[in-house]
Amino acid sequence: MDEPLILVEREGRVGIVRLNRPRVLNALNTSLMKELADVLEEMDRDENIGCIILTGQGKAFAAGADISEMADAAPFQFVGNAYFADWQRVRRVEKPLIAAVAGYALGGGNELAMCCDIIIAAETARFGQPEILLGVIPGAGGTQRLTRSVGKGKAMEMILTGDPITAEEALDWGLINRVVPPEQLEPEALSLAQKIAEKPPLAVKMAKQAILRAQEMSLEQGLHFEQLAFGMLFSTEDQREGMNAFIEKRKAQFKGK
Ligand code: CO8
């Protein structure tokens, strides 16, 4: 039987999703992307999961789109929504996604890490957009998300040279949140995910949506969205519980309602 392309584990309220094509450095073929989107959507629906870690294994988080699958593609295969539908499904996950990156995060691999909300890297991580070396450009958000993340000059340098950057550079440039020794990667990601997973789920969901809108909307529109989301949370039991617990000097017990 073929090995699954995605491995799934659970640690308390944290879902752990592992890309599983180590022999090709977790190259992202269409079957893997579909399975990934299926698994993430399932976890998104599961009220016993509060935060999701996405990681790779071996030498890579992911070394990009599967070049052998892509090499003979027809131009219009990539135009329109069909080809990137599974990427959009990943992007629409409402629960926080933490990318735990060791080794290569190149091309689509870096783009996938950037679809996550927080990136933690091992010292061994290398981030890059080498598509220019293949005669193309990033196609799953690299020119847009990388530029928003590290700014125009650094995005230009990475995308026009194709040269990868180290984990320390990625930290310095603001692409990732923190760098840890390789053996600390999963414990660090898990402890951060557990901390987030204990928080009131509806507030977490609204906070993620509001922060993502900061990258897409004008300040005025973003502030309006924030106000509406803030107000809506006053309809939840968790708001009453959180504020009463503070006043009564006890730990809040959140229910996701
Ligand atoms: N696609 C397919 N196979 C790959 C890929 C890949 N992206 N990367 C590595 N592999 C395979 C190799 O072919 C090799 O297979 P085999 O053992 O059968 O020869 C195996 O993985 C191991 O790789 P290497 O022997 O090359 O390992 P090295 O340690 O020598 O080198 C590198 C590691 C530097 C990461 C090297 O493998 C490399 O340069 N890989 C390609 C990186 C790249 O160009 N990525 C960008 C791809 S294009 C892209 O991502 C566009 C995204 C657009 C939209 C996304 C849609 C899904």
Side-chain angles (χ1 to χ4, degrees), residues 23-24 27 59 63-67 87 104 106-108 111 130-131 134 139:
R23 278 182 291 281
V24 286
K59 282 164 59 180
D66 190 321
I67 300 171
W87 285 80
Y104 298 110
L106 301 178
E111 290 169 311
E131 290 89 342
L134 301 169

Side-chain angles (χ1 to χ4, degrees), residues 6 27 61-62 83 127 135 144 162 175 181 197 233 238 250 253:
I6 303 288
F61 176 74
Y83 184 82
F127 298 87
Q144 304 304 301
L175 177 60
L233 287 166
D238 283 347
R250 61 175 173 81
Q253 302 293 327

Side-chain angles (χ1 to χ4, degrees), residues 82-109:
Y83 184 82
F84 290 105
D86 292 322
W87 285 80
Q88 275 179 10
R89 291 168 68 207
V90 172
R91 212 162 40 82
R92 290 196 187 126
V93 170
E94 292 185 324
K95 287 178 185 159
L97 287 173
I98 298 178
V101 177
Y104 298 110
L106 301 178

Side-chain angles (χ1 to χ4, degrees), residues 61-215:
F61 176 74
D66 190 321
I67 300 171
S68 34
E69 184 187 65
M70 186 178 259
D72 296 321
F76 278 88
Q77 197 172 320
F78 302 111
V79 180
N81 292 328
Y83 184 82
F84 290 105
D86 292 322
W87 285 80
Q88 275 179 10
R89 291 168 68 207
V90 172
R91 212 162 40 82
R92 290 196 187 126
V93 170
E94 292 185 324
K95 287 178 185 159
L97 287 173
I98 298 178
V101 177
Y104 298 110
L106 301 178
N110 190 40
E111 290 169 311
L112 184 60
M114 291 191 294
C115 283
C116 297
D117 304 304
I118 290 173
I119 306 177
I120 300 185
E123 288 155 351
T124 56
R126 295 291 176 272
F127 298 87
Q129 297 290 160
E131 290 89 342
I132 201 90
L133 307 173
L134 301 169
V136 293
I137 66 168
T143 62
Q144 304 304 301
R145 285 205 185 87
L146 188 63
T147 307
R148 280 167 166 78
S149 180
V150 303
K152 175 187 150 194
K154 292 188 167 81
M156 285 281 184
E157 192 177 329
M158 285 177 74
I159 291 171
L160 298 182
T161 65
D163 289 343
I165 59 172
T166 64
E168 280 302 332
E169 284 170 316
L171 181 65
D172 190 40
W173 291 11
L175 177 60
I176 66 174
N177 291 62
R178 55 184 88 156
V179 181
V180 295
E183 66 282 4
Q184 280 303 313
L185 180 65
E186 292 199 14
E188 185 80 12
L190 192 56
S191 121
L192 179 60
Q194 274 163 341
K195 189 182 260 192
I196 294 170
E198 285 168 9
K199 302 292 182 286
L202 295 171
V204 167
K205 186 196 283 197
M206 296 315 270
K208 170 168 169 167
Q209 292 306 316
I211 294 165
L212 289 179
R213 276 173 173 72
Q215 296 193 308

